[in-house]
Amino acid sequence: MAGGGFVDENGGKRVHLYEYRITGYFIFACVVAAMGGSLFGYDLGVSGGVTSMDDFLKEFFPKVYRRKHAHLEETDYCKYDNQILTLFTSSLYFAALVSTFGASHVTRNKGRRASILCGAVSFFLGAILNAFAKNIAMLIVGRCLLGVGIGFGNQAVPLYLSEMAPAKVRGAVNQLFQLTTCLGILIANFINYATDKIHPWGWRLSLGLATVPAAIMFVGGLFLPETPNSLVEQGRLQEAREILEKVRGTTKVDAEFSDLKDASDAARAIKNPFRNLLQRKNRPQLVIAALGIPAFQQLTGMNSILFYAPVIFQSLGFGSGASLYSSAITSGALVLATFISMAFVDKFGRRAFFLEAGVEMICVLVAVAVTLALKFGEGEDLPKGIGIFLVVIICIFVLAYGRSWGPLGWLVPSELFPLETRSAGQSMVVCVNMIFTALIAQCFLVSLCHLKYGIFLVFAGLIFIMSCFIFFLLPETKQVPIEEIYLLWQNHWFWKRYCTPEENEHELDGKSIPPI
């Protein structure tokens, strides 16, 4: 089997002794923490809409405004090609990738909850600054503050959800992050559609309303419990057990609590988790979780559609209102896809969703490229039937992404790291994700201008490569307890050469010590 390697449904020595019930306390904690996704989602949705609004362009980018109206009802791949305009979008992600390393320190030493609160405060301040911006410098500084908020939130929230969830429902629980992200995108698109009609300050309202999810996340975060994993890591054992009993709805947590303590003992031996992540025995987590999946998630091209859906549709000839409406349809498809993934990912597994959706996404991108190649030349009018066809197949693409690379791009990395490198590993995930997010955001419009329909063929080729990556290198992780994931590497056809049991030792200041 190409994927190679599995463990039985019990996952390890003690997991069959784990007990849990889904409690109201558990649901509250996960729903509040998942609000961190709404910050990311709202920004993804709102930024593309704002950059297509006439009032925003007239105030900050008058050249783009004039070019847009010179070709308002025509296809023009270069209509929005402006590097300062794309910097408005991408600056957030450059700030996020830098801030995630500070978030790693806070997450490991102060807890997941502390990072969530820091993220909410920074995002709130950035939204205020953007809403009252008077020049491009204020816009960029505000975007950087938003980026710091996203860096902290995206670092802590997936970890929080994975650590709080029982193994058998971890996939669905972790995808609450993706669900709130998608809901944030959808709400942002409808807000943009409404504020586009408010002149001349509607765009300020769109940007300023980002304070709402930030405020909800902060207030809710004040009442969040810390994860048992983090409390054990900090040496607060009694408190950790009490929280574990509350979130599991039972006092019979001896087996799970023992596994948490064993993992914590190993984690304390690691003084430099980033250096530990580079060790041979952690090669699978480094290659798959820290580098491969977060990079490939952006190279699907999906975030280009999310960033610039209104811009893309206007570039292809849609009017301003129609483009915002069309992007709202695609974001609605993303929400639907997330529900599908939440319902079935713990049944069918991560690999099946990755691979099936990969084939579908390749077919759709090739169809988009062929349609544009045959039907469009610069300056041509957009036939109505072709426009509807493009919206439909882009929705199909979104449905495929939304049940695979979207949610699983955050879920799978959060499952793979052992406790001793978990915060450092998640920082790498966010950092790599934001590097590629920023690069795609900065380069997409200029690529659309120069490569035209060829940009979609490039993304199709990348999806083929990443599907092969998943097929050969990622073992199935469904229903495997998060502290037992290391067993997968020891049984995998490729990774077992790096992770044999005799090599599964922890290092302290360059010296090996026996495994716990």
Side-chain angles (χ1 to χ4, degrees):
M1 178 179 174
F6 64 94
V7 296
D8 61 38
E9 287 192 1
N10 291 334
K13 295 176 292 185
R14 287 185 286 212
V15 67
H16 62 287
L17 300 175
Y18 289 14
E19 294 187 25
Y20 73 92
R21 291 186 298 108
I22 302 299
T23 65
Y25 186 76
F26 167 75
I27 293 172
F28 165 79
C30 291
V31 169
V32 171
M35 285 299 296
S38 65
L39 307 185
F40 192 31
Y42 187 86
D43 183 79
L44 281 173
V46 81
S47 58
V50 165
T51 53
S52 71
M53 292 182 184
D54 286 348
D55 293 322
F56 176 80
L57 292 175
K58 280 192 289 187
E59 183 160 351
F60 296 103
F61 303 97
K63 290 183 179 179
V64 176
Y65 172 77
R66 289 192 294 270
R67 187 192 310 159
K68 168 186 171 180
H69 281 267
H71 306 279
L72 187 60
E73 302 298 331
E74 301 171 348
T75 61
D76 183 352
Y77 292 104
C78 299
K79 190 180 296 186
Y80 287 90
D81 180 21
N82 182 287
Q83 288 299 294
I84 301 300
L85 178 61
T86 53
L87 183 61
F88 167 75
T89 299
S90 62
S91 58
L92 179 147
Y93 303 101
F94 287 117
L97 72 89
V98 173
S99 68
T100 188
F101 292 102
S104 173
H105 176 79
V106 174
T107 300
R108 189 179 194 209
N109 294 287
K110 303 299 182 181
R112 285 57 165 154
R113 176 174 170 268
S115 277
I116 290 172
L117 292 172
C118 289
V121 171
S122 182
F123 198 89
F124 185 92
L125 295 175
I128 292 292
L129 193 58
N130 269 353
F132 292 96
K134 297 298 183 182
N135 51 55
I136 293 176
M138 288 183 68
L139 281 177
I140 300 301
V141 172
R143 295 288 292 173
C144 288
L145 286 172
L146 293 175
V148 172
I150 287 177
F152 273 80
N154 286 15
Q155 206 274 348
V157 171
L159 286 186
Y160 188 96
L161 296 174
S162 287
E163 291 180 346
M164 292 293 274
K168 290 189 176 180
V169 295
R170 188 175 62 243
V173 171
N174 187 277
Q175 288 191 52
L176 287 171
F177 177 75
Q178 177 71 7
L179 177 62
T180 57
T181 298
C182 297
L183 289 172
I185 295 168
L186 180 62
I187 291 169
N189 275 291
F190 281 116
I191 287 174
N192 282 340
Y193 185 74
T195 58
D196 189 43
K197 299 176 175 60
I198 303 175
H199 304 289
W201 51 270
W203 64 270
R204 294 185 183 276
L205 183 59
S206 284
L207 296 177
L209 284 175
T211 57
V212 175
I216 294 173
M217 181 175 162
F218 179 80
V219 174
L222 295 175
F223 299 95
L224 274 182
E226 187 54 82
T227 70
N229 309 61
S230 179
L231 292 171
V232 170
E233 193 176 18
Q234 297 173 53
R236 298 154 63 183
L237 299 182
Q238 182 59 37
E239 188 178 350
R241 181 170 182 116
E242 292 173 359
I243 295 296
L244 186 62
E245 290 177 355
K246 291 182 73 173
V247 297
R248 296 293 181 259
T250 178
T251 58
K252 299 177 181 179
V253 296
D254 291 340
E256 185 171 2
F257 191 63
S258 294
D259 283 346
L260 290 181
K261 288 194 294 182
D262 286 353
S264 178
D265 289 340
R268 275 198 209 86
I270 306 302
K271 300 304 181 184
N272 192 323
F274 284 99
R275 184 185 303 165
N276 184 262
L277 190 59
L278 299 176
Q279 292 177 10
R280 178 182 174 85
K281 67 185 179 67
N282 289 324
R283 198 64 48 80
Q285 296 95 317
L286 177 67
V287 173
I288 297 176
L291 301 176
I293 289 179
F296 284 142
Q297 187 190 47
Q298 300 310 313
L299 294 175
T300 59
M302 181 61 213
N303 272 356
S304 299
I305 294 174
L306 294 179
F307 292 151
Y308 298 121
V311 170
I312 291 171
F313 287 124
Q314 283 195 25
S315 296
L316 300 179
F318 289 72
S320 178
S323 69
L324 289 171
Y325 185 69
S326 299
S327 62
I329 293 174
T330 60
S331 57
L334 194 59
V335 173
L336 175 62
T338 304
F339 280 114
I340 294 172
S341 188
M342 290 177 69
F344 296 109
V345 72
D346 286 313
K347 179 179 180 181
F348 296 114
R350 285 60 159 154
R351 281 167 50 83
F353 273 71
F354 272 130
L355 297 174
E356 178 276 328
V359 173
E360 193 173 330
M361 292 161 70
I362 291 170
C363 294
V364 168
L365 288 172
V366 171
V368 171
V370 170
T371 301
L372 296 179
L374 294 177
K375 297 296 182 181
F376 294 145
E378 293 193 17
E380 291 186 12
D381 293 335
L382 176 70
K384 184 176 181 180
I386 297 299
I388 294 173
F389 173 74
L390 284 173
V391 172
V392 170
I393 61 174
I394 287 176
C395 282
I396 294 173
F397 178 88
V398 170
L399 282 169
Y401 173 89
R403 66 178 183 271
S404 61
W405 282 96
L408 301 185
W410 295 106
L411 165 62
V412 174
S414 73
E415 296 177 319
L416 297 185
F417 296 107
L419 183 61
E420 63 264 28
T421 60
R422 194 167 295 156
S423 61
Q426 188 65 17
S427 286
M428 287 291 294
V429 171
V430 176
C431 179
V432 172
N433 187 288
M434 293 303 159
I435 287 172
F436 281 86
T437 302
L439 291 174
I440 292 293
Q442 190 67 27
C443 298
F444 178 75
L445 291 181
V446 68
S447 299
L448 181 66
C449 176
H450 293 284
L451 296 179
K452 300 179 172 60
Y453 62 84
I455 186 63
F456 298 101
L457 293 177
V458 171
F459 285 131
L462 290 169
I463 293 173
F464 174 78
I465 293 171
M466 65 185 71
S467 296
C468 293
F469 176 87
I470 294 296
F471 184 77
F472 288 109
L473 297 181
L474 180 69
E476 182 54 66
T477 60
K478 70 171 183 178
Q479 299 188 6
V480 180
I482 195 168
E483 305 303 346
E484 306 280 354
I485 293 291
Y486 72 91
L487 295 173
L488 296 175
W489 312 122
Q490 295 175 8
N491 292 283
H492 189 275
W493 72 274
F494 180 78
W495 296 120
K496 64 183 179 182
R497 71 190 68 182
Y498 296 97
C499 305
T500 55
E502 61 269 18
E503 291 179 351
N504 191 23
E505 299 177 341
H506 300 282
E507 294 190 1
L508 176 60
D509 296 331
K511 299 179 180 179
S512 63
I513 62 173
I516 302 300

